[in-house]
Amino acid sequence: MKQNALDLCKQLGVAMPTAVAGNAITARTPITGDVIATLPCASSGDIERVVVRSREAFLAWRTVPAPVRGELVRLLGEELRTSKHALGQLVSIEAGKVLQEGLGEVQEMIDICDFAVGLSRQLYGLTIASERAEHRMMETWHPLGPTLIISAFNFPVAVWAWNAALALVCGNSTLWKPSDKAPLTALATQAVFDRAVQRYRDEGHIVPDNLSAVVIGRAEVGAALVADARIPLVSATGSTRMGRAVGEACAKRFARSILELGGNNAAIIAPSATLEMVERAVTFAAVGTAGQRCTTLRRLVVHAGVYDALVPRLRKIYGKLRIGNPLDEGTLVGPLIDRAAFDAMQTALAAARAAGGTVHGGDRVQQALGTDAYYVQPAIVEMPSQTDVMCHETFAPILHVVKYDGEIEQAVALNNAVAHGLSSSIFTNDLREMERFLGAAGSDCGIANVNIGTSGAEIGGAFGGEKETGGGRESGSDSWRAYMRRATNTI
Ligand code: NAD
């Protein structure tokens, strides 16, 4: 596995350091628990240098016409297409997601590049009627400055692309502090970007050095960057704990933040739901990426009238899931990221039992794959009610199931009764219920789906959630506005 990862890094153009002294980050794979490489952690001197250079790059890049900036992002999309298989494999190895998901993540990067290229010709402002005679009033949008991207381990590369593709066409430089659990995929992505820059130069365009930079380190490196007054925008993806710290630090210095934090997502299964569709959608949303997606389905709110038809059937499907090496064809569930994730899952299951829940699954399996590799049987937990343990995000494949026996309003209240507000679904064939769920008194989440699971998102729509999910929006729709400064001009 180690050699496979190193070969992919080489193929992708990553220059691996030979010897690392002092503060270091260990890159490992959750598939076997093996260490792949040791990388130097950025020092305070490195951070200072990288911020200065990023600021210089911004000053040059901001005056390049937006459609010409778009050409660089178009080339990035082409380079990603060329590197899709290798980068997708490396994502699988470093994050432990099944190969199709690794490839899918790279496809999202390609898709957002396509989106951003179109956007580079559509960064419009309004013209507004002035109350003064012979005056014209308008809004114009301008590049903002170096954009700091902090990413989580579970989407190690797509989150960078969602932000960077937009930031770059908007005229910003980017700094990336990837998860210390996924540094290699970040270095590989930077190498792909460097090839796009080379092709852009070969086409005769001028592009500053250090337009994109990766800063390897743990939380304290992220915190040092977040505190830097030369960075006007921080887009941070990760836990709510991290977002609280980042949000506060940004607010203190009036920097902008896009916070994409935890989720505790529910699906409501109404009496009229098509159960065959529910079984597939629920299983995919609850066990995909081994329950380590921000949009993973964690709570199932099932009407009493269909509970006995659905839940035993789901348990049967869970019994047949193929759990194992995510690079093997046919595997549906890969490993948890590390021992801490496994321990957190076991703690949550014990709490569910203590609260009267009946736990099916949840045990460690496939121990032969590595003593430091943590594979689990995804768990279904039948709960007597929505107790405290269901109100927190445990980043593991645990699907809590509760019954409701009243009207749709009761199920919506359960959906909304948690601190997070990322994704939600209803399965129903009743139009009135659907409208209730999608309306003003319905789901309070940033994503509300009908007859589709909670996980996954298309890049065309703005992605993000409310409450303790942070309120940020990135990717499609008009998310680009967060990466620019707006000026109101009267002439
Ligand atoms: P994490 O919060 O531990 O780390 C995320 C990133 O933040 C890492 O790069 C980390 O080094 C950095 N970081 C941590 N503390 C920091 C601080 N004080 N200042 C600056 N940087 C800091 O999260 P994780 O375990 O990597 O990822 C899992 C979490 O991320 C889950 O809660 C999941 O729901 C969430 N997530 C959210 C989204 C979304 O779009 N809403 C997407 C993916 C993951």
Side-chain angles (χ1 to χ4, degrees), residues 363-386:
D363 299 324
R364 191 169 172 197
V365 294
Q366 297 281 23
Q367 297 196 37
L369 287 173
T371 46
D372 202 21
Y374 295 89
Y375 293 81
V376 288
Q377 176 70 46
I380 292 181
V381 184
E382 294 182 77
M383 295 296 291
S385 62
Q386 185 158 281

Side-chain angles (χ1 to χ4, degrees), residues 148-155 159 162 177-181 217-226 236-246 259-264 292-295 298 337 393 395 420 422 463-465 469 474:
L148 171 61
I149 301 160
I150 295 177
S151 56
F153 80 84
N154 65 325
F155 274 90
V159 164
W162 289 353
K177 209 301 279 170
S179 166
D180 49 292
K181 294 174 187 169
R218 300 187 185 79
E220 55 277 14
V221 169
L225 287 162
V226 168
T237 298
S239 59
T240 294
R241 178 178 33 83
M242 176 279 288
R244 231 182 270 288
V246 169
L259 300 176
E260 301 285 353
L261 311 177
N264 188 1
Q292 300 168 111
R293 282 184 177 217
C294 51
T295 51
R298 308 197 183 280
I337 190 71
E393 179 195 49
F395 216 52
H420 292 106
L422 180 52
F463 180 85
T469 301
E474 62 192 17

Side-chain angles (χ1 to χ4, degrees), residues 162-429:
W162 289 353
N163 285 282
L166 264 54
L168 289 168
V169 297
C170 288
N172 300 342
S173 54
T174 62
L175 294 151
W176 181 12
K177 209 301 279 170
S179 166
D180 49 292
K181 294 174 187 169
L184 293 175
T185 40
L187 294 175
T189 301
Q190 177 67 33
V192 172
F193 180 80
D194 290 344
R195 283 195 285 282
V197 165
Q198 191 50 55
R199 282 182 60 190
Y200 190 67
R201 286 189 173 134
D202 292 347
E203 284 181 356
H205 298 295
I206 293 171
V207 57
D209 290 336
N210 309 301
L211 187 57
S212 156
V214 175
V215 190
I216 298 291
R218 300 187 185 79
E220 55 277 14
V221 169
L225 287 162
V226 168
D228 197 303
R230 291 163 291 186
I231 298 174
L233 172 62
V234 178
S235 177
T237 298
S239 59
T240 294
R241 178 178 33 83
M242 176 279 288
R244 231 182 270 288
V246 169
E248 199 179 308
C250 287
K252 249 187 206 154
R253 63 178 183 88
F254 301 103
R256 271 193 223 170
S257 59
I258 300 172
L259 300 176
E260 301 285 353
L261 311 177
N264 188 1
N265 318 294
I268 297 168
I269 314 301
S272 65
T274 306
L275 293 187
E276 217 170 84
M277 178 196 277
V278 170
E279 286 159 11
R280 256 179 290 139
V282 163
T283 305
F284 177 74
V287 311
T289 325
Q292 300 168 111
R293 282 184 177 217
C294 51
T295 51
T296 289
L297 177 59
R298 308 197 183 280
R299 299 178 294 133
L300 200 59
V301 180
V302 185
H303 194 273
V306 288
Y307 192 96
D308 291 339
L310 176 67
V311 178
R313 186 76 202 118
L314 281 176
R315 284 177 53 195
K316 216 167 174 184
I317 294 170
Y318 265 51
K320 291 188 194 148
L321 293 171
R322 279 174 69 174
I323 305 160
N325 185 331
L327 295 173
D328 290 349
E329 212 175 310
T331 298
L332 283 173
V333 184
L336 293 175
I337 190 71
D338 56 17
R339 168 150 205 139
F342 175 73
D343 289 344
M345 179 174 179
Q346 298 311 309
T347 303
L349 292 177
R353 278 192 198 95
T358 306
V359 176
H360 311 282
D363 299 324
R364 191 169 172 197
V365 294
Q366 297 281 23
Q367 297 196 37
L369 287 173
T371 46
D372 202 21
Y374 295 89
Y375 293 81
V376 288
Q377 176 70 46
I380 292 181
V381 184
E382 294 182 77
M383 295 296 291
S385 62
Q386 185 158 281
T387 62
D388 189 52
V389 67
M390 286 182 69
C391 297
H392 303 285
E393 179 195 49
T394 300
F395 216 52
I398 304 176
L399 179 64
H400 299 95
V401 191
V402 284
K403 262 185 210 165
Y404 77 102
D405 53 12
E407 291 298 313
I408 182 66
E409 288 73 13
Q410 185 194 0
V412 169
L414 286 167
N415 179 78
N416 293 353
V418 296
H420 292 106
L422 180 52
S423 188
S424 58
S425 295
I426 187 168
F427 287 82
T428 181
N429 285 309

Side-chain angles (χ1 to χ4, degrees), residues 80 84 97 101-115 155 157-159 161-162 165 293 455-459 463 475:
L80 284 165
K84 179 175 170 180
K97 48 177 77 178
E101 291 181 19
L103 296 171
E105 186 165 345
V106 182
Q107 187 58 48
E108 282 197 26
M109 302 172 83
I110 295 166
D111 293 343
I112 194 70
C113 285
D114 288 354
F115 180 92
F155 274 90
V157 290
V159 164
W162 289 353
R293 282 184 177 217
S455 73
E458 283 186 42
I459 58 96
F463 180 85
S475 199

